[in-house]
Amino acid sequence: MKILDKYLLKTFLITFTTVFVILFFIFILQTVWLFIAELAGKDLDLILVVKFLLFSMPRIIPLVLPLSVLLASIMSFGNLAENYEFAAMKSSGISLQRAMRILIVFICVLSIVAFWFANNVIPYAEYKFVNFRKNIAQAKPAMAIAEGQFNDVGTYNIKVNKKSGENGNILTGVTIHEKNNNVGENKTVIKAKNGKLISNEKSSILKLVLNDGYYYQDVTPKKYEDRAKLPFVKAAFKKQIINIDLSELNKVDEDKESVNSTNGMLNVNELRYTLDSLNKNLDNEIISFSENINQRVGIKKIPIPVKTNIKKKQLPNNLLSLYNNKQKLDILKMASSNVTSNVYSIEATQKDLKDKQREINKHLSALYEKFVIAFACFLMFFIGAPLGAIIRKGGLGLPIVFAVLIFITFHFINTFGKRLSQEGGMTPFLGSWMSSFILSPLAILLTYRATNDNGLINFDAITTPISQLFQKISERFFTAKNK
């Protein structure tokens, strides 16, 4: 390795490492902020918090790594151009491509490592992260309930005045509101002087034992005039046991990009195997439904005609003319009922097939994303390096502005394409690679302009035709005036 290559590699590595650590720390803080409700006020010790963050760190890499490559490239090559080091290289016969050669090798290695990380480490971390969130309330049940506030646990809203005991499982001053799914309001209230939480790590059921309490429940009379009396049921108890299902505790809304989906826990081979099973299941579902609906509507395979001498009686064009009015009415009602039933069956099956196709698209997007992150490192380098050489600015000023604008564009297009492909608006391949396809011409253009020592924007190409046009107009004006 020549001295120039060592110098360029050292400069880039120092900048890249610094930028990566800073951005990684920023995204970690964002992760803490997103899950602050699960960490704050839950009596978690330091080890559990560290585990929580460790399992959530790998999912940040696909965002941090391309942005770090882009910003480090702009800053490194911007510093070299600003300090006239590129001018000295070019005067010595060293082109931009020659200067980038050792860094291209490094980016190749980095892309391979990024693919390996996305294919092995991230799926394992996703699996551990989901299971950690699911089991943490079972291993430490008091975590699910904070003092002095209502906590949404399963189908109950629970508030306790004080927690005590070694694991915080002894409760004092318990108030419970039981949710009513049908009405959407709390009609049952349970109050107890004290209680105890009992759990088993092998079970998702949290047992709450209440002592010395009362049970209130509003009753809705069938007669409307009796509802103004606001009747209720009240009972006292010495001991009552409530079983709370914690299996729903870890479920998160899909619109919030939850890691709870299984496609994020699979590597390339597992995704291909799962996709094969999902596609076969979808094809079998379509064939089964088509055969079933054909039998319901009476459509059968047309048999091969056999020549016979038997003359069949031809049916009239209006078949209903063969029946009386009462029979016609019964036939039409039956036909209408069959049509309504078949339409409902078709719509329900269509929705089910769309859900299955959406699941296939999600797995395909997860498969392509493992390759996109590797290519994104290449793309960001070939955008950042020539852009830094063109703008001739290093440091943390202008390079950060360009890096943020380019990365936001890349991330927005990538997210838009992913969502659109999952809903069937485009193929998962195009949705996953759309951001790379759109920004690749920009990388080629910047590399070409930096190689030929052209500016970022050739203002002469814009201003020259305009100035020539004004010059011609002025010449014609003065010529006409002199005549």
Side-chain angles (χ1 to χ4, degrees):
M1 184 181 294
K2 295 184 177 181
I3 297 177
L4 177 63
D5 293 332
K6 291 182 179 180
Y7 174 71
L8 292 174
L9 184 60
K10 179 182 177 181
T11 303
F12 182 83
L13 283 178
I14 293 174
T15 307
F16 173 77
T17 304
T18 305
V19 170
F20 182 84
V21 171
I22 295 174
L23 292 177
F24 193 79
F25 179 73
I26 294 174
F27 278 90
I28 283 293
L29 293 180
Q30 183 191 22
T31 302
V32 173
W33 179 257
L34 289 175
F35 295 102
I36 191 67
E38 298 185 23
L39 299 176
K42 298 297 179 69
D43 293 337
L44 291 175
D45 53 26
L46 182 60
I47 296 177
L48 291 177
V49 175
V50 171
K51 284 185 178 180
F52 189 94
L53 294 177
L54 285 176
F55 292 148
S56 63
M57 283 180 183
R59 58 196 294 260
I60 302 174
I61 298 298
L63 290 174
V64 176
L65 190 60
L67 180 57
S68 300
V69 172
L70 175 63
L71 187 55
S73 301
I74 297 177
M75 292 175 63
S76 299
F77 282 79
N79 281 325
L80 293 173
E82 187 178 13
N83 297 325
Y84 299 100
E85 292 177 278
F86 267 135
M89 293 180 192
K90 291 178 181 179
S91 64
S92 302
I94 300 174
S95 63
L96 178 65
Q97 286 81 1
R98 170 62 186 83
M100 294 171 60
R101 185 173 64 184
I102 186 62
L103 297 180
I104 292 175
V105 175
F106 171 75
I107 295 298
C108 289
V109 176
L110 185 64
S111 299
I112 295 173
V113 173
F115 174 77
W116 175 85
F117 192 88
N119 189 45
N120 296 279
V121 179
I122 293 180
Y124 177 77
E126 294 287 297
Y127 174 78
K128 299 293 290 185
F129 182 71
V130 169
N131 282 276
F132 181 77
R133 290 179 62 197
K134 181 179 179 181
N135 298 328
I136 191 172
Q138 300 170 21
K140 194 178 180 63
M143 186 213 71
I145 302 173
E147 292 183 357
Q149 65 185 37
F150 279 99
N151 303 268
D152 193 1
V153 182
T155 58
Y156 299 92
N157 285 322
I158 303 176
K159 177 184 177 182
V160 297
N161 296 334
K162 186 179 180 181
K163 294 192 300 182
S164 58
E166 183 179 356
N167 296 320
N169 60 335
I170 305 299
L171 311 178
T172 304
V174 183
T175 302
I176 300 176
H177 291 172
E178 185 177 0
K179 301 176 186 177
N180 191 325
N181 295 328
N182 296 328
V183 182
E185 58 186 16
N186 298 322
K187 287 185 171 291
T188 303
V189 179
I190 303 173
K191 295 181 70 69
K193 290 183 179 180
N194 54 71
K196 184 178 181 180
L197 291 170
I198 302 174
S199 66
N200 187 353
E201 296 185 13
K202 297 181 179 179
S203 174
S204 61
I205 302 299
L206 176 63
K207 183 182 293 185
L208 176 57
V209 181
L210 301 176
N211 301 314
D212 298 330
Y214 295 90
Y215 176 93
Y216 305 89
Q217 184 176 18
D218 293 332
V219 178
T220 303
K222 294 182 179 179
K223 295 182 179 180
Y224 181 78
E225 55 271 15
D226 294 336
R227 296 182 182 180
K229 299 178 182 179
L230 301 176
F232 66 93
V233 175
K234 177 182 177 181
F237 59 85
K238 288 293 182 180
K239 182 178 181 181
Q240 182 174 350
I241 298 176
I242 297 177
N243 293 321
I244 303 174
D245 187 6
L246 294 178
S247 60
E248 301 292 325
L249 188 63
N250 189 51
K251 289 189 177 180
V252 182
D253 188 3
E254 292 180 357
D255 296 335
K256 297 181 182 179
E257 291 298 321
S258 169
V259 298
N260 202 22
S261 181
T262 57
N263 54 66
M265 307 176 191
L266 306 177
N267 57 31
V268 171
N269 294 329
E270 292 169 343
L271 281 170
R272 287 175 176 172
Y273 178 81
T274 305
L275 282 168
D276 184 60
S277 300
L278 291 175
N279 284 314
K280 287 182 179 179
N281 186 21
L282 180 62
D283 294 339
N284 293 333
E285 187 79 14
I286 294 174
I287 294 172
S288 175
F289 175 74
S290 62
E291 292 177 351
N292 183 37
I293 200 69
N294 288 339
Q295 292 178 359
R296 292 179 62 179
V297 299
I299 299 177
K300 300 180 180 179
K301 293 182 179 180
I302 301 176
I304 300 174
V306 180
K307 293 182 179 181
T308 59
N309 295 326
I310 301 175
K311 294 183 178 181
K312 295 183 178 180
K313 183 180 179 180
Q314 293 184 351
L315 296 175
N317 293 330
N318 186 7
L319 294 177
L320 291 177
S321 62
L322 300 175
Y323 304 95
N324 56 38
N325 291 334
K326 184 177 182 304
Q327 291 173 334
K328 289 180 182 179
L329 183 61
D330 293 338
I331 292 173
L332 290 175
K333 287 182 178 180
M334 185 181 299
S336 176
S337 177
N338 288 336
V339 169
T340 303
S341 176
N342 289 332
V343 169
Y344 177 79
S345 177
I346 291 173
E347 290 178 350
T349 305
Q350 186 179 23
K351 182 179 181 301
D352 183 55
L353 293 178
K354 283 184 178 179
D355 292 339
K356 291 184 176 181
Q357 184 61 52
R358 188 181 295 111
E359 191 67 22
I360 292 175
N361 292 340
K362 288 181 179 180
H363 282 74
L364 284 171
S365 298
L367 175 64
Y368 295 135
E369 282 177 0
K370 299 183 186 303
F371 298 92
V372 170
I373 183 178
F375 183 76
C377 296
F378 266 105
L379 182 63
M380 293 298 121
F381 176 75
F382 281 100
I383 291 177
L387 183 61
I390 291 174
I391 64 176
R392 296 183 174 90
K393 289 289 183 181
L396 297 175
L398 192 60
I400 289 183
V401 176
F402 279 105
V404 169
L405 290 176
I406 294 172
F407 184 76
I408 287 177
T409 303
F410 174 82
H411 185 63
F412 173 78
I413 297 173
N414 189 33
T415 304
F416 174 77
K418 179 181 176 181
R419 293 289 181 88
L420 194 61
S421 64
Q422 289 178 359
E423 297 299 326
M426 63 174 61
T427 62
F429 177 82
L430 184 60
S432 300
W433 287 94
M434 183 167 62
S435 56
S436 301
F437 292 156
I438 292 177
L439 292 182
S440 292
L442 176 62
I444 297 173
L445 176 64
L446 290 175
T447 303
Y448 174 78
R449 297 189 69 84
T451 303
N452 294 283
D453 291 330
N454 295 327
L456 183 61
I457 299 175
N458 189 1
F459 289 101
D460 293 337
I462 301 175
T463 58
T464 300
I466 297 175
S467 61
Q468 291 177 353
L469 178 63
F470 277 106
Q471 186 177 0
K472 289 181 181 180
I473 293 174
S474 60
E475 288 177 356
R476 290 181 182 179
F477 175 77
F478 285 113
T479 303
K481 188 176 181 179
N482 292 330
K483 289 182 179 181

